[in-house]
Amino acid sequence: MIMTAGIFTVAVLGAESTFALIHRFKLSTIRASCLSTLVFCGLLSLIPADFKMMPLQAAFFGATFVGMTDKSRMGAKRVLIASLLFALIYIFLIPLARGLGGGLGAAAFVSCAIIYSISRWVFKKI
């Protein structure tokens, strides 16, 4: 339960920090993702080693892919929702895809695509 809450928390932090670095501080997408991931991993290294950190690091890194989205497609609120959806996909589907490459990127793409599609559909109905 604690790990699940941690994954949701780091997914939101990863996506929102990357999104902010790109759109507020004008960093490139790759630099924003790398910087936020390095800072996060640096902070995690201060925690005692008996705590399982690899799932949190992977969730944070994957969520930075969600934050790489363009502001014209999804704003900060939609990035927040997509990061929560990414956390769900990460928790339930990524373990089923072990050994397959690109799982984090695929999960980020699917979460962004779903939120983008839903928002486009809702705006067409309004």
Side-chain angles (χ1 to χ4, degrees), residues 47-124:
I47 298 174
D50 61 340
F51 184 71
K52 290 186 175 183
M53 292 185 240
M54 285 301 280
L56 293 178
Q57 290 172 343
F60 187 93
F61 181 60
T64 64
F65 298 160
V66 173
M68 288 178 170
T69 190
D70 187 34
K71 197 174 190 176
S72 66
R73 288 188 186 99
M74 293 194 336
K77 291 177 186 175
R78 289 188 190 124
V79 168
L80 172 69
I81 296 167
S83 67
L84 294 172
L85 182 58
F86 169 82
L88 282 172
I89 292 170
Y90 179 82
I91 291 167
F92 293 109
L93 296 179
I94 294 294
L96 300 175
R98 295 223 178 221
L100 298 175
L104 293 177
F109 170 75
V110 168
S111 62
C112 286
I114 288 171
I115 298 306
Y116 178 76
S117 298
I118 289 172
S119 66
R120 296 284 294 181
W121 181 74
V122 167
F123 284 129
K124 280 186 178 180

Side-chain angles (χ1 to χ4, degrees), residues 7-19 36 40 60 63-64 83:
I7 288 172
F8 277 100
T9 303
V10 300
V12 169
L13 287 174
E16 291 294 331
S17 64
T18 303
F19 191 79
S36 57
F40 179 75
F60 187 93
T64 64
S83 67

